[in-house]
Amino acid sequence: MKQIIAMGGGGFSMEPDNPLLDNYILKQALSDKPKVCFVPTASGDADGYIERFYKSFMKLNCEPSHLSLFKPPAEDLKAFILDKDIIYVGGGNTKNLLALWKEWGLEQILHEAWEKGVILVGLSAGSICWFEEGVTDSFGNGLASLKCLGFLKGSNCPHYDGEAERRPAYRHFVDSEQITGGYAADDGVALHFIGKDLHRVVSSRRNARAYSLSVGGGETPLTTEYLGEVKSGGQRH
């Protein structure tokens, strides 16, 4: 089963004291103790980002590792990636991420991993990258559209409620047909795709939401499930 979980923001790097999204991600794996590989390319493989990943995921029921393209963990990156249950891509500069992945052949490797059932996850740049297009600040001068990998159809805009310019910019890009329609996600919201279809929208924040946008169709709120209200044994979490 092919799965992609694209987060507008959240997870260990934005919500270190709120593991709802990261726990949700782990539960989608078939393994009782999934192998999770963090890919911090978009941050330039920042040491502090990697350290925060291990600090959070060492507390969870999983086997954490990371893939640095500046200090590769193995000569055979394909074998390294296909051995994982979850690939978790961090935020940062999406344009640089795509350029480095292309140079290292990671586009094809990750596509094969996805086809074989490895779950692809990411936030911000790590969310945008899976779609045909995304709204990015990679160019350092406001927001712009960017062609991405195209594993998922349409466009994506993260941080929809977290950065004031995101919402008006994405709506303008779609309405003016500078970018294809697609999905926007607030911080703390994850779009869970099975195959290429949106299966579920979940959130670690009570009032956070996701939306679909289309040319001439405006902005449509999507049903978003707050994970803190999932019932277990009759109790509310």
Side-chain angles (χ1 to χ4, degrees):
M1 184 168 65
K2 299 189 297 185
Q3 297 186 75
I4 292 178
I5 301 175
M7 296 182 282
F12 75 92
S13 62
M14 292 185 68
E15 301 177 313
D17 298 320
N18 183 356
L20 288 174
L21 281 183
D22 289 338
N23 279 328
Y24 176 82
I25 289 165
L26 294 178
K27 289 176 182 176
Q28 308 315 308
L30 295 177
S31 173
D32 291 334
K33 192 172 184 180
K35 297 177 181 178
V36 184
C37 179
F38 179 51
V39 183
T41 312
S43 71
D45 291 345
D47 289 338
Y49 204 1
I50 296 169
E51 290 169 4
R52 291 188 347 249
F53 165 74
Y54 281 108
K55 182 178 180 180
S56 294
F57 276 79
M58 288 294 289
K59 300 174 184 176
L60 304 177
N61 186 35
C62 66
E63 295 182 23
S65 62
H66 75 280
L67 169 59
S68 168
L69 294 180
F70 292 89
K71 298 178 181 178
E75 184 175 350
D76 189 343
L77 293 183
K78 179 177 176 179
F80 179 82
I81 288 173
L82 291 179
D83 181 56
K84 310 307 177 190
D85 298 296
I86 299 168
I87 300 296
Y88 193 129
V89 182
N93 189 301
T94 315
K95 183 174 176 61
N96 288 345
L97 174 150
L98 293 170
L100 283 168
W101 282 7
K102 183 176 182 179
E103 181 67 26
W104 283 82
L106 280 186
E107 295 178 9
Q108 293 79 12
I109 294 172
L110 289 169
H111 193 274
E112 182 175 343
W114 178 51
E115 293 277 359
K116 290 182 178 295
V118 177
I119 302 171
L120 305 181
V121 177
L123 77 155
S124 193
S127 173
I128 294 168
C129 65
W130 311 119
F131 292 81
E132 292 177 315
E133 298 176 282
V135 178
T136 180
D137 58 4
S138 297
F139 300 95
N141 183 24
L143 296 170
S145 62
L146 180 69
K147 298 291 184 183
C148 299
L149 296 177
F151 292 9
L152 298 174
K153 292 184 177 181
S155 61
N156 177 237
C157 181
H159 307 303
Y160 208 49
D161 68 338
E163 298 175 7
E165 68 274 18
R166 290 275 177 173
R167 192 177 212 133
Y170 189 34
R171 294 186 67 163
H172 170 70
F173 290 154
V174 172
D175 288 340
S176 61
E177 300 187 53
Q178 296 180 52
I179 194 171
T180 56
Y183 300 95
D186 290 346
D187 288 338
V189 171
L191 303 160
H192 184 177
F193 290 83
I194 293 181
K196 295 190 176 185
D197 298 322
L198 183 61
H199 167 66
R200 191 178 182 190
V201 182
V202 298
S203 173
S204 61
R205 304 181 185 185
R206 190 179 302 275
N207 297 315
R209 294 288 181 270
Y211 307 84
S212 65
L213 278 77
S214 60
V215 178
E219 179 184 285
T220 303
L222 300 174
T223 300
T224 304
E225 177 186 342
Y226 172 51
L227 293 171
E229 290 182 350
V230 174
K231 294 182 179 180
S232 175
Q235 294 184 346
R236 189 176 294 271
H237 293 264

